[in-house]
């Protein structure tokens, strides 16, 4: 392996623990580890990985991965930084953000500039660059709603490519980067279109309730952000305190006729109109009904306040958490006949 071919600014480390690089806090190692801070560094590192046939794992905030074993390739930690206004008029602003920027920092920066569009996505952990991976979403807003385009480096060739919204094939917690383009691109920047006036989305009941609690009758985007932050802090375990990767499963959408049968058998089922003409079931409710909520299984379990979130109570292995996830999925299938898909990326 010729490490002299690497950009002189990058440092190749060997046998590095990944414990601080994943929010589950799983203590596995990677054979090689490099942090990249510029496009030049990245292109040199990608070429190095191809020349040496190293499989790579791109890590941003590590808040949507479950590491089940030591990684035998090269982990690339994304530290590409920078935010630029590309264009603006009286109504809108186009902002290009490097993929290694923190997502929540980007949201707060937008609010500080009085731009709206991402306030409902406040406090989602992780990097900007991982956002398009699963079209991050919360409280009725998805990344695709403010997305214009992204730039990515093709791993095999080092070529910089642009993906439009259509080319990203965004869906519910889905994109081309989780499917056919998986492991083929390193997203380097994302360009968003934000509004200069507030166009708020407060259709999720919890936001309205929280705004009422805050005595706010005419909210602005900062108020909505504060409401979302307050709800999230009251409901979700902080990964710095209790290892987790947010919702472990996606909410499944089922055809209307299947839903009608399910509703006849389980009248309390929680469901909302889906994006594809069916009904979206609250996976948390399905899991809770199977008796998993708050249950401890070894060093892991489903969280007491939010059944969708699997947690590491200390010392859990990725394999243990993965096995729990599969057992939960199996029991939901047995009780309700519904498949729940894992949202977290398993390695
Ligand atoms: P990582 O975990 O580092 O990576 C995730 C995947 O993307 C990996 O496969 C990785 O290889 C790949 N990847 C990362 N960066 C790049 C890149 N630049 N180019 C190509 N591939 C890349 N998600 C939501 O959608 N909505 C929520 O409301 C939400 N709430 C959460 C709350 C908590 C407490 C936690 C812990 C997680 C939550 N998540 C939520 C999940 C997670 O925060 C998001 O999916 C986030 O976008 C992951 O970012 P990351 O940088 O940590 O990604
Ligand atoms: P919640 O408010 O307890 O609601 C349970 C589920 O019902 C949510 O998953 C949500 O689906 C759905 N829902 C609620 N109100 C809805 C409405 N008015 N219209 C359509 N669907 C509705 O959910 P929560 O777990 O506390 O999460 C709140 C929000 O944060 C959700 O949007 C959730 O996706 C997001 N979140 C995501 C993660 C993650 O890791 N992916 C982690 C924490 C929170 P949706 O999930 O489709 O919105």
């Amino acid at each position: 392996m010729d490490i002299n071919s690497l950009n002189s600014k990058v440092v190749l480390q060997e046998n590095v623990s990944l414990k601080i690089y994943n929010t589950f806090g799983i203590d596995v190692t990677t054979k090689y580890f490099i942090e990249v801070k510029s496009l030049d560094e990245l292109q040199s590192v990608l070429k190095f990985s191809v020349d040496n046939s190293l499989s790579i794992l791109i890590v941003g905030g590590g808040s949507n991965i479950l590491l089940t074993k030591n990684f035998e390739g090269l982990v690339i930690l994304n530290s590409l930084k920078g935010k630029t206004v590309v264009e603006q008029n009286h109504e809108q602003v186009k902002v290009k953000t490097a993929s290694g920027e923190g997502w929540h920092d980007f949201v707060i920066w937008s609010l500080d500039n009085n731009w709206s569009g991402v306030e409902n996505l406040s406090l989602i952990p992780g990097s900007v660059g991982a956002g398009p991976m699963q079209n991050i979403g919360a409280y009725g807003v998805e990344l695709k709603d403010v997305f214009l385009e992204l730039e990515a480096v093709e791993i095999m060739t080092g070529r910089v490519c642009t993906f439009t919204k259509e080319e990203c094939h965004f869906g519910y917690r889905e994109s081309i980067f989780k499917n056919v383009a998986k492991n083929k691109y390193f997203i380097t920047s994302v360009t968003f279109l934000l509004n200069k006036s507030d166009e708020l989305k407060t259709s999720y009941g919890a936001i309205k309730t929280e705004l009422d609690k805050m005595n706010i009758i005419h909210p602005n985007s900062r108020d909505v952000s504060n409401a979302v932050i307050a709800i999230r802090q009251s409901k979700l375990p902080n990964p710095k305190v209790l290892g987790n990767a947010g919702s472990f499963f996606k909410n499944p959408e089922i055809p209307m006729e299947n839903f009608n049968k399910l509703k006849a058998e389980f009248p309390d089922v929680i469901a909302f109109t889906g994006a594809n003409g069916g009904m979206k079931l609250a996976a948390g409710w399905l899991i809770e009904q199977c008796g998993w909520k708050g249950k401890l299984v070894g060093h892991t379990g489903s969280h007491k306040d939010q059944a969708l979130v699997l947690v590491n109570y200390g010392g859990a292995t990725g394999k243990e958490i993965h096995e729990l996830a599969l057992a939960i999925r199996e029991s939901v299938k047995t009780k309700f006949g519904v498949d729940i898909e894992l949202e977290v990326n398993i390695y």
Side-chain angles (χ1 to χ4, degrees):
M1 218 159 56
D2 178 15
I3 63 163
N4 295 319
S5 65
L6 275 168
N7 183 302
S8 60
K9 287 193 182 140
V10 301
V11 180
L12 175 70
Q13 297 178 62
E14 286 184 51
N15 300 320
V16 174
S17 166
L18 293 174
K19 189 168 181 188
I20 60 166
Y21 299 109
N22 72 99
T23 59
F24 261 122
I26 303 294
D27 196 3
V28 292
T29 57
T30 174
K31 194 157 183 198
Y32 300 108
F33 180 94
I34 294 180
E35 178 178 8
V36 291
K37 296 184 177 160
S38 71
L39 185 60
D40 283 350
E41 290 177 17
L42 174 64
Q43 283 171 315
S44 133
V45 170
L46 294 178
K47 182 167 183 329
F48 174 78
S49 73
V50 172
D51 290 349
N52 292 289
S53 308
L54 295 175
S55 50
I56 66 164
L57 166 56
I58 303 164
V59 174
S63 64
N64 205 15
I65 53 176
L66 177 67
L67 303 167
T68 60
K69 51 183 182 292
N70 290 337
F71 188 68
E72 296 303 329
L74 168 67
V75 164
I76 306 179
L77 180 66
N78 182 5
S79 293
L80 302 176
K81 302 283 180 199
K83 301 188 275 288
T84 346
V85 171
V86 180
E87 219 179 298
Q88 57 183 317
N89 59 27
H90 288 304
E91 286 158 10
Q92 290 180 307
V93 57
K94 211 190 262 189
V95 193
K96 184 173 179 176
T97 308
S99 60
E101 289 284 347
W103 175 264
H104 182 66
D105 293 345
F106 165 66
V107 172
I108 295 302
W109 177 75
S110 303
L111 292 169
D112 287 345
N113 282 289
N114 296 316
W115 302 328
S116 80
V118 283
E119 53 279 358
N120 293 42
L121 304 177
S122 296
L123 219 61
I124 297 181
S127 59
V128 165
M133 280 290 295
Q134 70 160 14
N135 178 28
I136 51 170
Y139 300 100
V141 172
E142 293 178 334
L143 173 132
K144 74 168 171 49
D145 301 333
V146 287
F147 178 94
L148 261 187
E149 62 181 29
L150 63 76
E151 275 177 4
V153 177
E154 191 177 34
I155 292 169
M156 284 310 284
T157 62
R159 194 170 57 94
V160 177
C161 326
T162 302
F163 285 79
T164 62
K165 192 193 279 195
E166 289 67 35
E167 286 165 341
C168 289
H169 297 290
F170 289 126
Y172 181 65
R173 307 288 188 270
E174 269 302 334
S175 77
I176 192 170
F177 303 102
K178 271 195 121 174
N179 293 298
V180 290
K182 198 176 167 79
N183 300 327
K184 293 200 170 110
Y185 295 92
F186 188 119
I187 297 167
T188 51
S189 71
V190 186
T191 302
F192 301 96
L193 189 62
L194 302 174
N195 293 311
K196 290 195 172 174
S197 57
D198 284 337
E199 286 174 27
L200 306 179
K201 291 191 183 155
T202 54
S203 61
Y204 271 42
I207 296 189
K208 281 195 192 127
T209 309
E210 192 61 36
L211 288 169
D212 286 349
K213 237 200 267 176
M214 294 158 80
N215 289 321
I216 292 169
I217 299 157
H218 301 294
N220 58 27
S221 47
R222 175 76 70 173
D223 296 326
V224 171
S225 168
N226 286 339
V228 168
I229 290 172
I231 304 165
R232 294 182 76 106
Q233 285 177 335
S234 72
K235 282 184 85 171
L236 287 168
N238 178 351
K240 288 190 178 129
V241 180
L242 201 55
N244 74 87
S247 306
F248 207 93
F249 304 91
K250 293 183 197 178
N251 291 323
E253 182 172 334
I254 60 170
M256 196 54 94
E257 60 175 292
N258 297 17
F259 174 73
N260 290 336
K261 283 185 203 148
L262 197 68
K263 177 93 180 153
E265 200 179 339
F266 302 98
D268 297 335
V269 62
I270 299 179
F272 301 87
T273 304
N276 303 309
M279 291 297 280
K280 178 184 75 176
L281 308 178
W285 184 87
L286 300 173
I287 295 168
E288 188 177 346
Q289 297 306 304
C290 293
W292 293 104
K293 191 175 181 180
K295 192 168 169 179
L296 255 78
V297 183
H299 305 89
T300 179
S302 149
H303 191 254
K304 65 177 174 44
D305 300 326
Q306 178 46 281
L308 259 190
V309 178
L310 304 188
V311 295
N312 176 2
Y313 286 107
T317 62
K319 195 164 168 276
E320 205 178 349
I321 296 170
H322 192 211
E323 278 166 7
L324 172 67
L326 298 182
I328 290 175
R329 190 169 72 175
E330 189 61 37
S331 67
V332 168
K333 178 78 178 170
T334 305
K335 187 172 172 86
F336 298 104
V338 171
D339 286 308
I340 52 171
E341 205 183 314
L342 307 193
E343 180 176 304
V344 173
N345 301 280
I346 313 291
Y347 290 96

